[in-house]
Amino acid sequence: MAGPGGRTWRDLLAGRARKRKSAFGSGAELQEAALRLLDHHQNLNDLLLEVEDSVKPGGQDGVEHQEASSESFIVSVLQEQASRLGVPAAVLAAKNAVTNIERICQASASPSQVPLLNVDQRKRLSCLLQTVKDLLANNVFCRSLFCQEMWKMKDPPVLEAVWHLHRGDIIGLGELLESNPSAPAVVEWLCSSLCGLCQQAESSSGDVELAGCILSDFVIVFLQNGFQQTSELGRKLEFKKVPYICHAVLQRMLTWVLDAVGKEKQEDVSTLQAMRFWLNVFNASVYKSAVHPDSLQQFFRHTLTEVLTYNPLLKVSDAIHMQKEWSFTRTCSLLTTLYRKLFVAFSAKESIWQLQQVLETHEVNWQHVLSCVSTLVICQAEAEQLFKDLLSHLLIKAFENYDMENMITAFLIARQAALEGPAVFMPYSEWFKASFGNAGGHHGSSKKALVFLFEFLSELVPFEAAPYLKVHIMYPPFVPAKHRSILLEYITLAKTRLADLKVAIEDMGLYEDLSSTDESVQPQGQALRDVEKALQIFENTRKIPTSVIEASIFRRPYYTSWFLPALLRPRVLPKTPDARMTFIDSLKRADKIPPNLYSTYIQACCAMKEKMLQDESKVETCHSKEPVEQLEADLAALRMLIVDQAKHEDVPAQIAVISDRLKSVLGHSSDENEAATLNSPIQVDTSAPRLEPCHQRVVDLLLTSFCQNLIAASYFNPPDRQGPCLSLFVKMMCGHKNLLPALLGRLCQLIYHQGPSLNDAHILGLAAFVIHLNESRALIPEVEADFGISQPVPEKVLSISEYCNSLLVCRTEESFAFCMRFCTAAASYLMCKFPACSHEDFCALLPPSLAKKLQYIVPRLCLEARGILCEEGNTDLVWSSLSCPSLNYKRASLCLWKQARFQELLKEKAFQLSFREWLLLELEVYPEKDILSASERQDFHYWAIYQRYLPAPSASGGCDGDLEKACGIIINTILDSSQRLDLGSRGQSKMSVNPDILCKLQEMVLELRCRQKLLSGCMDAQRHFLFEILQERLKDRRDGSALGEQLWRQQELLLHRRILVGLPASALVMTCRKGKKTMLDCEDFFCFVNSELKNVCSRGYALSYDITAHFFRGLLNASLDCEESAEGVNGVLTACQTKCPIVLFSAVLWWPRLEPVVCSQWKRLFGSPLAEELERLREWQSSATSFLSSGVVFPLSGPPWILAAFLHCTVQQQSPRGRETNALKRLGTDKEQLLVSLLFFSLMDLISAKIAPKEGVDFQTSLAWCLEILQCLEDRSMSWPLLFHSAEKDSRKYCVLRSAASDRHIRLLPLAFYSLTPCFHHELLTREQTFLYVALDLYIQLLRLFVEGRDLPPSDQAVQSPDPGEHGDPLEVISTARRFLLGAIPRCPAQSFGNIRPLLATCEELDPELGATLLHFSRPDAAMELDEELLLF
């Protein structure tokens, strides 16, 4: 405790000792007096922090005495306090120490707990730990209790605090971990803390050393306990959980790193740096003598095995395809770093031996294995020979046992090692020749071995890359003459594959690297490489290379068709002969170049020289410049012409020069390519446009030139006096089809991605450019925007104006300001550029989307534009406001808005912004980033909806004053907007509804409800417009056979539910007059639930809680309009029993949450006892609970299926299992309907567990519950198969249950039925004559589901169950059903076959064997043929 001025107890005591003599007789008296003084003022927690270092320099007796006194004083205080509390002092000390640690750890300013302490926390913790050490020395501290209390803290301890406890020998990490009751929780805490430690270390350079110490100390503990040696087990028996924890933490951290491999480019830099910091644990030098060498070896071997076997999803065929991507330089740096650290602990021989062991005993991740091979050959000098030995060993084993696995492993390793180049491993072609190119090869021992080799090579062919096939053809395995046909068959197959790959073996280059995996080199490219290589050899030797001489004789087609044309490419010959000229002359003298070909070459070279001289006479500087530099000079020359009005006539000629220059820069396009480009849409990746650097440079030059020309020309003349120069320039650009993708991609980058950061000149230039693009739209193909994801429907192709409009988004303050500036500049430029053109021509020049965007933005940002302000304006004024340096875009926008000509344009239907279009734009706005405040936005919405669109005629995009029509437009637009994939959402559907628009919709719905109350006597008022709108949207897409349509429908219904919950609750319920009474009408709601909403229900038989609670709130609110509210509520709930039972089932499922809401609302509204039906629900819930808990008799006062629902849901909500079995036995023998209904609900849960595991229903638990109910039914010989009859065939005894289930759950009833086969006994076949019909009908339904590929849960979910073969994979379920039927049919009585005839034809079509069995046993004499008892199972 601190005294006055912040002095500590020790300072005070020391000071008093110096000032005067003690008035007390002894130290004991003094201590007793101090204790009495502190009795009313002590703070034990602070007292523990008031101890500094016990050892101080100087060694003065007085100071040492004070230290001892201080320690004994603290012990005395603790003992005194402990005696008062009646607890041991050691216990009190431990608890207070934990309290202090918790306070210290929570003192951080960081919003979330970080693994490292700050300086102040560290200082306070140091003081506390010193005190704890003193208490330990005095045996006044309970370590075990301290450990337990540490885990009871509100937040887990900070990692550094635990480290200090461990490092200070107060509480070892192992002891602390052992004391936690939940090992998985400790693993989770340690892993998250270690990840955080790595991240914090990388983000703060000052913490690197400390983090390294913590990491190494912890990992030492992990290794000591997680990888114990036999000699260490005896002294660590007290730890039972720690080995598991340590092993699990190391495993999880390794998985953390391995998960990032392959996604390195997607991870942020800080995360990758953190992972690299963790890899420091694999520095073997850190552990020295702290860890047993064998433990370290075991850890490294285990890690290497885990890496090589991690997530082994890739097949061998994938490895063949992709291994070139797994070379050392292309492999994720995390993985190569890990390998290199692991290999330090092993010799190269040990590493390869470990690799071999893993390959022989595990399923491996081929990417990691082959990356390991690459790392070994790169990093280990002796690895080459060791791998050769391994390959030889693998081949020997392969040919000894004719084992394909060893064979493919050898080939993959050989190819992978060869990828790293001849400096570290022999090329693949050499290895193949050495292994199979002579009679001594492994395949030469017998014909069987030879056939085995070629069978293996033939199986590889469909997956092979061209380079490897070329090796096998050019250097074929040695084959005796008598078996030559085997080789020829393989070569034919390989050449066919090469032909499929469009590679001709005849076109192989002279110096082609057959070990290369580059498949993109065409013959002409390879020929150019061969020429360069031949020239290099010729320069060094001054002789024609041997390979060229051989090719001219033995490979004549390639030599004449590819090599010579590549060598004899026309060029301007130098005055002094260079190496190429000398080489050509040597070949000519050796008669290796045909005379006519040589003559043609010389003539072409002369023609090129003459053309160059002509070009030099026109443009003196052209020959000394690069093509792009020449283009730049041409564009500068154009600018000089544009600014001088007297030289405008020279502009077209200069633009033609620029066009010709563009051809040389971009390359010529053939006529066929031009035609193809014109007819196909331009693909643009709008989410992340990527441009080739050369194309981007050209496009930037052109756009910069356009903007500079516009600004320079506008300095001298307004747009209407600048002539057609800019129009011609843009039209010329549009004529270069191969330029358009780069141009549109660059526009996307500038307008969408960088728009708000552009300056005024850029915006003005780009706006004018877009106007001229629209002017030349006939030259531009349609645009297909790629949003970077797979989409449920084909993306609509866009015109150039629609594409530009899609780049102008209005979502944030910055984007609104940019869009206003851009659109204003574009429209103003257009009006100033073409002031004299006719109204029709002007309409053709203005993009409709631009006009609509202005109609949206200007009134939104300018209050003045919300009135009818129109005046004849001067267009010069508009342009002057745009070109003014001190630009005010709001003023410019208003100036444009007030132009009479612009207002006339907005009267055209094509330019009118409809209410729906306005809503779509408004729904894109991010309210939290809006340029308007909340109140300003509310005012704007009120004006737009109630003043602009609601009263406006539908011809101009309004609502004709019809409130229902307005509501319909709003709802449809919200749903369309939420379903739509757009540029801003990066392909993600927007599931949230704009709260401001939803608020206006709520107002309208309430107003309509008030109006409907007045008209409740009219028949027209009986229709519920809201459900009409929703069902109309689903009407055209009712047949959802395609997966995309099914997903659309499901998402649509979820959105419907979201909107319904967002509207006033009373909107779900109508009121109507019957005679003199007001009645509640829920027919439309019931119809919508039964037909649509139940298909997005919870657990298959209940609506979600939100819509359930919303309906009940609406029901109670609507009942206020009734003369007898309770009677109205009772009537609706009674009607639910027959018309919409799913509503009642929903209430049952959610009753624990729903009851307080309903009762509270009823009390607020009426204050009287609950309505009878609501009270009955309460009673049923109470009865079900009492029945299960205390054994009271379960009532039968209501519909059995409602009682069964309550009983089922209560069973599911009670955590202890076992009571329900006894409860089933206590049900009377007259409870057949209740038990069958109970079986139905359990079956629904069983299906939900398969198709929606996130619902929280466990499959095995549900299955066990189903089987218990079924067993109970069987024990009582109750009839239950009727439950599985389809609705049109049954006696409607259980149709209420089936009507409440979702369509998908009903379709999956066959799956549930055949999960119950363990309870199907022999007696069932004879007792239930309809059983065979039901079982056969459900089997046919199951087959149809499988054939159609619908509804059945995927097998990858299924196999997660402990017994996948029994109830998992759909094929296994079908097999189980089939086996059951084949066993059951012989046991069925003859009467059972009487009603199966309608199913026979279908059964014979889908399963002929089963159909034949049915036909056989359905004959009257079939029963006599049974000689012995047949078993069902």
Side-chain angles (χ1 to χ4, degrees), residues 437-469:
N438 55 70
H442 303 288
H443 65 296
S445 57
S446 66
K447 180 182 177 180
K448 187 175 181 180
L450 187 67
V451 171
F452 169 72
L453 172 64
F454 281 99
E455 280 182 354
F456 169 76
L457 293 176
S458 299
E459 287 188 15
L460 288 186
V461 167
F463 313 103
E464 288 279 40
Y468 297 117
L469 290 172

mmCIF file of all heavy atoms in Angstrom, residues 437-469:
data_model
loop_
_atom_site.group_PDB
_atom_site.id
_atom_site.type_symbol
_atom_site.label_atom_id
_atom_site.label_comp_id
_atom_site.label_asym_id
_atom_site.label_seq_id
_atom_site.Cartn_x
_atom_site.Cartn_y
_atom_site.Cartn_z
ATOM 1 N N GLY A 437 16.889 -47.675 -71.660
ATOM 2 C CA GLY A 437 17.391 -47.576 -73.030
ATOM 3 C C GLY A 437 18.315 -48.678 -73.472
ATOM 4 O O GLY A 437 18.871 -48.614 -74.570
ATOM 5 N N ASN A 438 18.571 -49.680 -72.641
ATOM 6 C CA ASN A 438 19.469 -50.763 -73.045
ATOM 7 C C ASN A 438 18.920 -52.091 -72.556
ATOM 8 O O ASN A 438 17.985 -52.141 -71.748
ATOM 9 C CB ASN A 438 20.884 -50.521 -72.491
ATOM 10 C CG ASN A 438 20.863 -50.331 -70.979
ATOM 11 O OD1 ASN A 438 20.613 -51.283 -70.240
ATOM 12 N ND2 ASN A 438 21.112 -49.108 -70.525
ATOM 13 N N ALA A 439 19.529 -53.167 -73.023
ATOM 14 C CA ALA A 439 19.026 -54.512 -72.722
ATOM 15 C C ALA A 439 19.180 -54.871 -71.255
ATOM 16 O O ALA A 439 18.508 -55.779 -70.755
ATOM 17 C CB ALA A 439 19.760 -55.538 -73.583
ATOM 18 N N GLY A 440 20.068 -54.152 -70.547
ATOM 19 C CA GLY A 440 20.271 -54.454 -69.135
ATOM 20 C C GLY A 440 19.253 -53.794 -68.229
ATOM 21 O O GLY A 440 19.361 -53.911 -67.003
ATOM 22 N N GLY A 441 18.305 -53.086 -68.790
ATOM 23 C CA GLY A 441 17.294 -52.422 -67.974
ATOM 24 C C GLY A 441 16.391 -53.414 -67.260
ATOM 25 O O GLY A 441 16.352 -54.608 -67.568
ATOM 26 N N HIS A 442 15.635 -52.885 -66.271
ATOM 27 C CA HIS A 442 14.768 -53.753 -65.473
ATOM 28 C C HIS A 442 13.698 -54.434 -66.321
ATOM 29 O O HIS A 442 13.206 -55.509 -65.959
ATOM 30 C CB HIS A 442 14.089 -52.929 -64.366
ATOM 31 C CG HIS A 442 15.052 -52.229 -63.475
ATOM 32 N ND1 HIS A 442 15.831 -52.891 -62.547
ATOM 33 C CD2 HIS A 442 15.394 -50.902 -63.363
ATOM 34 C CE1 HIS A 442 16.587 -52.015 -61.898
ATOM 35 N NE2 HIS A 442 16.355 -50.802 -62.376
ATOM 36 N N HIS A 443 13.370 -53.819 -67.451
ATOM 37 C CA HIS A 443 12.289 -54.365 -68.279
ATOM 38 C C HIS A 443 12.782 -55.448 -69.233
ATOM 39 O O HIS A 443 11.969 -56.060 -69.934
ATOM 40 C CB HIS A 443 11.658 -53.241 -69.093
ATOM 41 C CG HIS A 443 12.601 -52.637 -70.088
ATOM 42 N ND1 HIS A 443 13.747 -51.961 -69.715
ATOM 43 C CD2 HIS A 443 12.612 -52.625 -71.453
ATOM 44 C CE1 HIS A 443 14.390 -51.547 -70.781
ATOM 45 N NE2 HIS A 443 13.723 -51.936 -71.858
ATOM 46 N N GLY A 444 14.091 -55.657 -69.280
ATOM 47 C CA GLY A 444 14.638 -56.588 -70.269
ATOM 48 C C GLY A 444 14.676 -58.025 -69.811
ATOM 49 O O GLY A 444 15.142 -58.902 -70.554
ATOM 50 N N SER A 445 14.225 -58.306 -68.609
ATOM 51 C CA SER A 445 14.357 -59.659 -68.086
ATOM 52 C C SER A 445 13.368 -60.638 -68.697
ATOM 53 O O SER A 445 13.634 -61.829 -68.788
ATOM 54 C CB SER A 445 14.184 -59.656 -66.560
ATOM 55 O OG SER A 445 12.914 -59.091 -66.226
ATOM 56 N N SER A 446 12.205 -60.154 -69.108
ATOM 57 C CA SER A 446 11.193 -61.058 -69.654
ATOM 58 C C SER A 446 10.179 -60.258 -70.450
ATOM 59 O O SER A 446 10.107 -59.034 -70.374
ATOM 60 C CB SER A 446 10.480 -61.811 -68.526
ATOM 61 O OG SER A 446 9.738 -60.894 -67.729
ATOM 62 N N LYS A 447 9.397 -60.994 -71.228
ATOM 63 C CA LYS A 447 8.320 -60.344 -71.976
ATOM 64 C C LYS A 447 7.296 -59.744 -71.025
ATOM 65 O O LYS A 447 6.735 -58.675 -71.277
ATOM 66 C CB LYS A 447 7.655 -61.344 -72.916
ATOM 67 C CG LYS A 447 6.521 -60.726 -73.732
ATOM 68 C CD LYS A 447 5.823 -61.732 -74.623
ATOM 69 C CE LYS A 447 4.656 -61.064 -75.353
ATOM 70 N NZ LYS A 447 3.938 -62.016 -76.229
ATOM 71 N N LYS A 448 7.059 -60.449 -69.902
ATOM 72 C CA LYS A 448 6.090 -59.950 -68.938
ATOM 73 C C LYS A 448 6.507 -58.590 -68.389
ATOM 74 O O LYS A 448 5.685 -57.674 -68.235
ATOM 75 C CB LYS A 448 5.941 -60.962 -67.794
ATOM 76 C CG LYS A 448 4.829 -60.620 -66.817
ATOM 77 C CD LYS A 448 4.658 -61.723 -65.768
ATOM 78 C CE LYS A 448 3.516 -61.367 -64.818
ATOM 79 N NZ LYS A 448 3.329 -62.414 -63.777
ATOM 80 N N ALA A 449 7.808 -58.443 -68.113
ATOM 81 C CA ALA A 449 8.318 -57.164 -67.623
ATOM 82 C C ALA A 449 8.185 -56.082 -68.692
ATOM 83 O O ALA A 449 7.839 -54.927 -68.403
ATOM 84 C CB ALA A 449 9.772 -57.307 -67.190
ATOM 85 N N LEU A 450 8.432 -56.459 -69.933
ATOM 86 C CA LEU A 450 8.316 -55.509 -71.041
ATOM 87 C C LEU A 450 6.861 -55.049 -71.201
ATOM 88 O O LEU A 450 6.574 -53.851 -71.354
ATOM 89 C CB LEU A 450 8.821 -56.155 -72.327
ATOM 90 C CG LEU A 450 8.938 -55.247 -73.554
ATOM 91 C CD1 LEU A 450 10.029 -54.217 -73.350
ATOM 92 C CD2 LEU A 450 9.220 -56.080 -74.803
ATOM 93 N N VAL A 451 5.959 -55.990 -71.166
ATOM 94 C CA VAL A 451 4.535 -55.655 -71.281
ATOM 95 C C VAL A 451 4.104 -54.773 -70.118
ATOM 96 O O VAL A 451 3.348 -53.817 -70.291
ATOM 97 C CB VAL A 451 3.689 -56.951 -71.341
ATOM 98 C CG1 VAL A 451 2.200 -56.622 -71.233
ATOM 99 C CG2 VAL A 451 3.977 -57.707 -72.626
ATOM 100 N N PHE A 452 4.608 -55.081 -68.931
ATOM 101 C CA PHE A 452 4.282 -54.277 -67.752
ATOM 102 C C PHE A 452 4.717 -52.826 -67.944
ATOM 103 O O PHE A 452 3.968 -51.878 -67.638
ATOM 104 C CB PHE A 452 4.959 -54.882 -66.521
ATOM 105 C CG PHE A 452 4.922 -53.998 -65.305
ATOM 106 C CD1 PHE A 452 3.743 -53.798 -64.608
ATOM 107 C CD2 PHE A 452 6.065 -53.343 -64.865
ATOM 108 C CE1 PHE A 452 3.702 -52.988 -63.497
ATOM 109 C CE2 PHE A 452 6.036 -52.524 -63.748
ATOM 110 C CZ PHE A 452 4.852 -52.343 -63.066
ATOM 111 N N LEU A 453 5.933 -52.625 -68.459
ATOM 112 C CA LEU A 453 6.426 -51.265 -68.679
ATOM 113 C C LEU A 453 5.539 -50.506 -69.658
ATOM 114 O O LEU A 453 5.138 -49.363 -69.394
ATOM 115 C CB LEU A 453 7.865 -51.306 -69.194
ATOM 116 C CG LEU A 453 8.439 -49.960 -69.652
ATOM 117 C CD1 LEU A 453 8.525 -48.981 -68.493
ATOM 118 C CD2 LEU A 453 9.813 -50.148 -70.288
ATOM 119 N N PHE A 454 5.210 -51.137 -70.779
ATOM 120 C CA PHE A 454 4.431 -50.427 -71.780
ATOM 121 C C PHE A 454 2.967 -50.268 -71.361
ATOM 122 O O PHE A 454 2.303 -49.298 -71.772
ATOM 123 C CB PHE A 454 4.554 -51.117 -73.145
ATOM 124 C CG PHE A 454 5.836 -50.774 -73.841
ATOM 125 C CD1 PHE A 454 6.912 -51.644 -73.808
ATOM 126 C CD2 PHE A 454 5.981 -49.561 -74.497
ATOM 127 C CE1 PHE A 454 8.109 -51.317 -74.442
ATOM 128 C CE2 PHE A 454 7.173 -49.231 -75.128
ATOM 129 C CZ PHE A 454 8.251 -50.110 -75.099
ATOM 130 N N GLU A 455 2.465 -51.186 -70.567
ATOM 131 C CA GLU A 455 1.124 -50.977 -70.011
ATOM 132 C C GLU A 455 1.118 -49.752 -69.106
ATOM 133 O O GLU A 455 0.193 -48.930 -69.138
ATOM 134 C CB GLU A 455 0.676 -52.214 -69.218
ATOM 135 C CG GLU A 455 0.164 -53.346 -70.092
ATOM 136 C CD GLU A 455 -0.317 -54.522 -69.248
ATOM 137 O OE1 GLU A 455 -0.138 -54.470 -68.002
ATOM 138 O OE2 GLU A 455 -0.861 -55.485 -69.823
ATOM 139 N N PHE A 456 2.186 -49.626 -68.310
ATOM 140 C CA PHE A 456 2.295 -48.466 -67.429
ATOM 141 C C PHE A 456 2.408 -47.176 -68.237
ATOM 142 O O PHE A 456 1.693 -46.198 -67.971
ATOM 143 C CB PHE A 456 3.516 -48.635 -66.528
ATOM 144 C CG PHE A 456 3.877 -47.391 -65.769
ATOM 145 C CD1 PHE A 456 3.139 -46.996 -64.666
ATOM 146 C CD2 PHE A 456 4.942 -46.590 -66.169
ATOM 147 C CE1 PHE A 456 3.453 -45.839 -63.979
ATOM 148 C CE2 PHE A 456 5.269 -45.444 -65.484
ATOM 149 C CZ PHE A 456 4.528 -45.065 -64.377
ATOM 150 N N LEU A 457 3.285 -47.156 -69.229
ATOM 151 C CA LEU A 457 3.447 -45.950 -70.047
ATOM 152 C C LEU A 457 2.155 -45.613 -70.790
ATOM 153 O O LEU A 457 1.802 -44.438 -70.943
ATOM 154 C CB LEU A 457 4.598 -46.136 -71.039
ATOM 155 C CG LEU A 457 6.004 -46.244 -70.436
ATOM 156 C CD1 LEU A 457 7.030 -46.519 -71.536
ATOM 157 C CD2 LEU A 457 6.363 -44.976 -69.674
ATOM 158 N N SER A 458 1.438 -46.622 -71.226
ATOM 159 C CA SER A 458 0.178 -46.390 -71.942
ATOM 160 C C SER A 458 -0.876 -45.793 -71.023
ATOM 161 O O SER A 458 -1.657 -44.935 -71.434
ATOM 162 C CB SER A 458 -0.341 -47.696 -72.547
ATOM 163 O OG SER A 458 0.597 -48.221 -73.473
ATOM 164 N N GLU A 459 -0.907 -46.228 -69.763
ATOM 165 C CA GLU A 459 -1.860 -45.660 -68.815
ATOM 166 C C GLU A 459 -1.550 -44.207 -68.505
ATOM 167 O O GLU A 459 -2.434 -43.433 -68.157
ATOM 168 C CB GLU A 459 -1.867 -46.487 -67.527
ATOM 169 C CG GLU A 459 -2.542 -47.850 -67.681
ATOM 170 C CD GLU A 459 -2.696 -48.562 -66.342
ATOM 171 O OE1 GLU A 459 -2.554 -47.887 -65.299
ATOM 172 O OE2 GLU A 459 -2.959 -49.774 -66.347
ATOM 173 N N LEU A 460 -0.289 -43.833 -68.635
ATOM 174 C CA LEU A 460 0.088 -42.436 -68.388
ATOM 175 C C LEU A 460 -0.314 -41.512 -69.535
ATOM 176 O O LEU A 460 -0.497 -40.308 -69.319
ATOM 177 C CB LEU A 460 1.605 -42.317 -68.186
ATOM 178 C CG LEU A 460 2.219 -42.852 -66.897
ATOM 179 C CD1 LEU A 460 3.697 -42.490 -66.862
ATOM 180 C CD2 LEU A 460 1.525 -42.272 -65.678
ATOM 181 N N VAL A 461 -0.445 -42.050 -70.731
ATOM 182 C CA VAL A 461 -0.609 -41.234 -71.934
ATOM 183 C C VAL A 461 -1.723 -40.190 -71.827
ATOM 184 O O VAL A 461 -1.524 -39.015 -72.166
ATOM 185 C CB VAL A 461 -0.793 -42.123 -73.180
ATOM 186 C CG1 VAL A 461 -1.288 -41.307 -74.377
ATOM 187 C CG2 VAL A 461 0.520 -42.805 -73.530
ATOM 188 N N PRO A 462 -2.925 -40.533 -71.349
ATOM 189 C CA PRO A 462 -3.997 -39.514 -71.320
ATOM 190 C C PRO A 462 -3.682 -38.315 -70.440
ATOM 191 O O PRO A 462 -4.292 -37.262 -70.599
ATOM 192 C CB PRO A 462 -5.205 -40.295 -70.768
ATOM 193 C CG PRO A 462 -4.902 -41.729 -71.025
ATOM 194 C CD PRO A 462 -3.421 -41.851 -70.920
ATOM 195 N N PHE A 463 -2.733 -38.470 -69.515
ATOM 196 C CA PHE A 463 -2.428 -37.382 -68.591
ATOM 197 C C PHE A 463 -1.100 -36.707 -68.890
ATOM 198 O O PHE A 463 -0.762 -35.709 -68.270
ATOM 199 C CB PHE A 463 -2.394 -37.921 -67.148
ATOM 200 C CG PHE A 463 -3.551 -38.797 -66.805
ATOM 201 C CD1 PHE A 463 -3.407 -40.175 -66.755
ATOM 202 C CD2 PHE A 463 -4.801 -38.254 -66.555
ATOM 203 C CE1 PHE A 463 -4.469 -40.989 -66.443
ATOM 204 C CE2 PHE A 463 -5.870 -39.067 -66.240
ATOM 205 C CZ PHE A 463 -5.708 -40.443 -66.183
ATOM 206 N N GLU A 464 -0.347 -37.243 -69.853
ATOM 207 C CA GLU A 464 1.014 -36.783 -70.083
ATOM 208 C C GLU A 464 1.055 -35.418 -70.762
ATOM 209 O O GLU A 464 0.206 -35.079 -71.594
ATOM 210 C CB GLU A 464 1.770 -37.786 -70.962
ATOM 211 C CG GLU A 464 2.125 -39.088 -70.280
ATOM 212 C CD GLU A 464 3.373 -38.986 -69.415
ATOM 213 O OE1 GLU A 464 3.533 -37.941 -68.729
ATOM 214 O OE2 GLU A 464 4.169 -39.926 -69.410
ATOM 215 N N ALA A 465 2.102 -34.660 -70.415
ATOM 216 C CA ALA A 465 2.422 -33.443 -71.143
ATOM 217 C C ALA A 465 3.285 -33.806 -72.352
ATOM 218 O O ALA A 465 3.956 -34.842 -72.376
ATOM 219 C CB ALA A 465 3.165 -32.473 -70.231
ATOM 220 N N ALA A 466 3.245 -32.927 -73.349
ATOM 221 C CA ALA A 466 3.935 -33.213 -74.609
ATOM 222 C C ALA A 466 5.434 -33.486 -74.435
ATOM 223 O O ALA A 466 5.968 -34.409 -75.057
ATOM 224 C CB ALA A 466 3.704 -32.065 -75.589
ATOM 225 N N PRO A 467 6.175 -32.736 -73.599
ATOM 226 C CA PRO A 467 7.624 -32.977 -73.507
ATOM 227 C C PRO A 467 7.977 -34.405 -73.091
ATOM 228 O O PRO A 467 8.929 -34.983 -73.603
ATOM 229 C CB PRO A 467 8.079 -31.959 -72.458
ATOM 230 C CG PRO A 467 7.075 -30.865 -72.520
ATOM 231 C CD PRO A 467 5.782 -31.539 -72.816
ATOM 232 N N TYR A 468 7.203 -34.970 -72.164
ATOM 233 C CA TYR A 468 7.528 -36.328 -71.723
ATOM 234 C C TYR A 468 7.195 -37.355 -72.791
ATOM 235 O O TYR A 468 7.914 -38.358 -72.953
ATOM 236 C CB TYR A 468 6.786 -36.640 -70.422
ATOM 237 C CG TYR A 468 7.198 -35.743 -69.281
ATOM 238 C CD1 TYR A 468 6.287 -34.886 -68.676
ATOM 239 C CD2 TYR A 468 8.514 -35.721 -68.828
ATOM 240 C CE1 TYR A 468 6.663 -34.056 -67.635
ATOM 241 C CE2 TYR A 468 8.901 -34.890 -67.793
ATOM 242 C CZ TYR A 468 7.979 -34.048 -67.197
ATOM 243 O OH TYR A 468 8.370 -33.221 -66.183
ATOM 244 N N LEU A 469 6.122 -37.125 -73.519
ATOM 245 C CA LEU A 469 5.805 -38.034 -74.626
ATOM 246 C C LEU A 469 6.902 -37.990 -75.685
ATOM 247 O O LEU A 469 7.264 -39.019 -76.270
ATOM 248 C CB LEU A 469 4.454 -37.653 -75.241
ATOM 249 C CG LEU A 469 3.218 -37.936 -74.372
ATOM 250 C CD1 LEU A 469 1.981 -37.340 -75.016
ATOM 251 C CD2 LEU A 469 3.031 -39.433 -74.172
#
